[in-house]
Amino acid sequence: FERSDEIGDLAAGFREMVHSLKSLRQKETEQAAALIAANTQLGQANDILKEETSERKRAQDEVLRQHRRISSLHEIGAAINSTLDQTLLLDALFTKLKLLLPYSAVSVCWYCPDLGRHVAIADFDSWRRAVRFHPDGRWEIRERRTRRASPA
């Protein structure tokens, strides 16, 4: 029932306000849902970016590691080509290999015609004690001294 007086106008104004409030609440709910969905999408995109950044960092670290290895190998090649002095050559070789390899399980073998086989002549720690180079280019393996067990 509608009235045409001031109370009717007031009631119509209230109905319009209630309708506007309902409409605003519905828009607010829709916007909140849209914000939640956008926030979820941003979170997922952020996770993807973090993973990609992590992968790129791992790839960059691997590239740097490979670059160091290649540089060390290049320096070893340059050392090999720069001298005929075996002592300097082995010094350069082992210095670079220590940087290149995380362990010291490296040895150098040369072919010994007298024995008819390759002989390990050098490793990281003992090559100066194991090999004697002569100025004419010959080399010889020094005898290894073995310790005998002391009598008990």
Side-chain angles (χ1 to χ4, degrees), residues 13-143:
F14 277 121
R15 280 192 298 273
E16 189 177 321
M17 266 191 339
V18 168
H19 179 65
S20 293
L21 283 173
K22 283 182 182 180
S23 175
L24 286 173
R25 279 217 170 128
Q26 184 170 351
K27 285 181 182 179
E28 180 183 327
T29 303
E30 290 170 359
Q31 288 176 347
L35 283 174
I36 290 171
N39 193 25
T40 302
Q41 288 177 343
L42 285 174
Q44 291 170 347
N46 192 31
D47 291 341
I48 290 169
L49 286 174
K50 284 180 183 178
E51 181 63 30
E52 287 178 1
T53 302
S54 177
E55 287 176 22
R56 286 181 183 170
K57 175 72 172 133
R58 281 191 297 270
Q60 182 181 19
D61 290 345
E62 179 63 21
V63 166
L64 288 174
R65 190 177 68 78
Q66 292 295 337
H67 178 72
R68 282 189 215 108
R69 291 181 74 195
I70 290 169
S71 294
S72 292
L73 291 172
H74 174 72
E75 290 171 11
I76 288 169
I80 289 170
N81 290 324
S82 69
T83 184
L84 294 176
D85 184 344
Q86 290 96 346
T87 304
L88 292 175
L89 177 63
L90 289 174
D91 269 341
L93 177 67
F94 286 126
T95 299
K96 295 302 176 188
L97 286 175
K98 281 183 181 180
L99 298 174
L100 185 61
L101 300 173
Y103 47 86
S104 61
V106 174
S107 64
V108 173
C109 296
W110 284 350
Y111 182 75
C112 179
D114 296 338
L115 298 174
R117 63 182 172 89
H118 285 90
V119 177
I121 62 158
D123 61 34
F124 273 135
D125 300 319
S126 64
W127 78 267
R128 287 185 182 272
R129 294 186 308 269
V131 180
R132 180 172 171 223
F133 294 105
H134 297 279
D136 63 0
R138 290 181 303 116
W139 56 273
E140 65 185 66
I141 299 171
R142 294 181 180 160
E143 289 186 30

